[in-house]
Amino acid sequence: GAVVSQHPSRVICKSGTSVKIECRSLDFQATTMFWYRQFPKKSLMLMATSNEGSKATYEQGVEKDKFLINHASLTLSTLTVTSAHPEDSSFYICSVAYNEQFFGPGTRLTVL
Amino acid sequence: RKEVEQDPGPFNVPEGATVAFNCTYSNSASQSFFWYRQDCRKEPKLLMSVYSSGNEDGRFTAQLNRASQYISLLIRDSKLSDSATYLCVVNAMNRDDKIIFGKGTRLHILP
């Protein structure tokens, strides 16, 4: 099955800074990757669908200018949280879907 | 023991039948449980949360058994459109408060 990695696994930053999270499909060429966010004790929420070579598709209520997604290659998608604020603190997870779902290990973002 | 385990299936069930599958989890401190549905090559979508008292939504019933550390999903009067993969998701209350996904159970409803 596909192996998905994320980097970093944990990041702590000051309010106002931008944070980039990488999602890599290590053994599978993924034209589509999904970005999720999970707040503590809450369910997973789809943020956007990352499409290789084209614009990402954002879910309703997700600010595309705040959560920049770039899917420049078939193995790498990046999510940049711009001007992060404490309310952006969350667990961000990416996934690749092909017959079954393969999730990355997630990135824990804490904004001070 | 894996953190979250599911029978991968596939479960081949005739239309109209009742089907049930379980998901076991290893962390007894887990607090939040969910069932997701995933269609082929699509992102998973939340089907229902699983509460301690159990919950029902139409033809779907989810239950939690803390003593035996498993959750279950029951589908009554199954429809062709129920064919999908059902993911069990557990919020493991460890240091990272990490969500743990099961690998999913594939369900095929047969006409």
Side-chain angles (χ1 to χ4, degrees):
Chain A
V3 178
V4 181
S5 70
Q6 278 184 244
H7 178 79
S9 59
R10 180 185 293 269
V11 58
I12 300 173
C13 68
K14 293 182 178 180
S15 183
T17 60
S18 294
V19 176
K20 179 186 285 188
I21 303 170
E22 293 184 349
C23 176
R24 292 183 185 274
S25 176
L26 299 183
D27 57 355
F28 171 71
Q29 293 186 323
T31 56
T32 303
M33 292 184 180
F34 303 102
W35 284 98
Y36 296 83
R37 178 170 57 183
Q38 187 206 26
F39 294 107
K41 301 182 177 62
K42 299 294 184 182
S43 179
L44 202 62
M45 298 295 292
L46 179 66
M47 297 177 66
T49 301
S50 172
N51 304 300
E52 188 268 335
S54 63
K55 293 182 180 180
T57 305
Y58 289 83
E59 295 300 299
Q60 189 173 13
V62 178
E63 300 174 60
K64 61 180 181 181
D65 294 325
K66 180 169 182 62
F67 298 98
L68 301 179
I69 291 174
N70 183 283
H71 194 153
S73 76
L74 291 172
T75 59
L76 174 64
S77 175
T78 60
L79 169 68
T80 301
V81 184
T82 63
S83 186
H85 292 281
E87 57 266 30
D88 297 324
S89 298
S90 186
F91 185 67
Y92 293 86
I93 187 168
C94 69
S95 70
V96 169
Y98 186 81
N99 293 328
E100 62 180 282
Q101 194 77 10
F102 300 97
F103 292 90
T107 297
R108 175 72 57 192
L109 171 64
T110 302
V111 184
L112 303 176
Chain B
R1 182 180 180 183
K2 293 181 180 178
E3 292 181 289
V4 176
E5 282 192 89
Q6 294 181 251
D7 183 340
F11 285 59
N12 298 309
V13 176
E15 189 176 9
T18 295
V19 60
F21 26 83
N22 294 338
C23 165
T24 59
Y25 60 95
S26 62
N27 187 341
S28 60
S30 299
Q31 295 293 325
S32 304
F33 309 89
F34 310 93
W35 281 105
Y36 278 75
R37 172 203 167 114
Q38 184 195 10
D39 294 299
C40 187
R41 304 193 188 194
K42 299 290 185 181
E43 77 282 6
K45 295 181 179 178
L46 180 64
L47 178 64
M48 59 198 311
S49 301
V50 187
Y51 305 122
S52 296
S53 57
N55 54 315
E56 182 175 328
D57 183 4
R59 298 182 292 108
F60 298 84
T61 300
Q63 292 191 316
L64 168 64
N65 185 315
R66 286 194 182 276
S68 299
Q69 294 184 203
Y70 73 86
I71 64 173
S72 63
L73 179 66
L74 179 78
I75 306 175
R76 292 180 296 276
D77 188 24
S78 55
K79 312 292 184 187
L80 294 177
S81 57
D82 294 333
S83 297
T85 296
Y86 292 85
L87 297 168
C88 167
V89 179
V90 176
N91 191 331
M93 299 297 289
N94 55 19
R95 179 176 61 87
D96 293 324
D97 195 26
K98 188 174 180 177
I99 49 172
I100 308 294
F101 295 86
K103 294 296 185 182
T105 297
R106 291 168 56 197
L107 174 64
H108 294 157
I109 304 301
L110 306 174

